[in-house]
PDB file of all heavy atoms in Angstrom:
ATOM      1  N   ALA A 361     -19.789  10.200   7.458  1.00 74.00           N
ATOM      2  CA  ALA A 361     -21.012   9.733   8.118  1.00 74.00           C
ATOM      3  C   ALA A 361     -20.691   8.537   8.988  1.00 74.00           C
ATOM      4  O   ALA A 361     -19.979   7.629   8.565  1.00 74.00           O
ATOM      5  CB  ALA A 361     -22.022   9.337   7.053  1.00 74.00           C
ATOM      6  N   VAL A 488      -3.280   7.040 -54.520  1.00 76.00           N
ATOM      7  CA  VAL A 488      -4.023   6.037 -53.759  1.00 76.00           C
ATOM      8  C   VAL A 488      -3.099   5.538 -52.646  1.00 76.00           C
ATOM      9  O   VAL A 488      -1.920   5.312 -52.865  1.00 76.00           O
ATOM     10  CB  VAL A 488      -4.481   4.861 -54.631  1.00 76.00           C
ATOM     11  CG1 VAL A 488      -5.600   5.269 -55.515  1.00 76.00           C
ATOM     12  CG2 VAL A 488      -3.333   4.331 -55.424  1.00 76.00           C
ATOM     13  N   THR A 489      -3.675   5.404 -51.466  1.00 80.00           N
ATOM     14  CA  THR A 489      -2.860   4.997 -50.324  1.00 80.00           C
ATOM     15  C   THR A 489      -3.381   3.680 -49.775  1.00 80.00           C
ATOM     16  O   THR A 489      -4.552   3.561 -49.449  1.00 80.00           O
ATOM     17  CB  THR A 489      -2.947   6.048 -49.207  1.00 80.00           C
ATOM     18  OG1 THR A 489      -2.991   7.338 -49.794  1.00 80.00           O
ATOM     19  CG2 THR A 489      -1.786   5.911 -48.258  1.00 80.00           C
ATOM     20  N   ALA A 502      -0.816 -15.822 -45.189  1.00 82.00           N
ATOM     21  CA  ALA A 502      -1.485 -17.101 -44.961  1.00 82.00           C
ATOM     22  C   ALA A 502      -2.322 -17.500 -46.162  1.00 82.00           C
ATOM     23  O   ALA A 502      -2.409 -18.671 -46.512  1.00 82.00           O
ATOM     24  CB  ALA A 502      -2.350 -17.004 -43.712  1.00 82.00           C
ATOM     25  N   GLN A 724      -8.561 -85.148  -1.453  1.00 83.00           N
ATOM     26  CA  GLN A 724      -9.526 -86.171  -1.847  1.00 83.00           C
ATOM     27  C   GLN A 724     -10.559 -86.388  -0.762  1.00 83.00           C
ATOM     28  O   GLN A 724     -11.750 -86.525  -1.028  1.00 83.00           O
ATOM     29  CB  GLN A 724      -8.790 -87.482  -2.095  1.00 83.00           C
ATOM     30  CG  GLN A 724      -8.478 -87.722  -3.541  1.00 83.00           C
ATOM     31  CD  GLN A 724      -7.717 -89.016  -3.691  1.00 83.00           C
ATOM     32  OE1 GLN A 724      -6.867 -89.349  -2.852  1.00 83.00           O
ATOM     33  NE2 GLN A 724      -8.023 -89.761  -4.716  1.00 83.00           N
TER      34      GLN A 724
END
Side-chain angles (χ1 to χ4, degrees):
Chain A
V488 287
T489 323
Q724 263 178 322

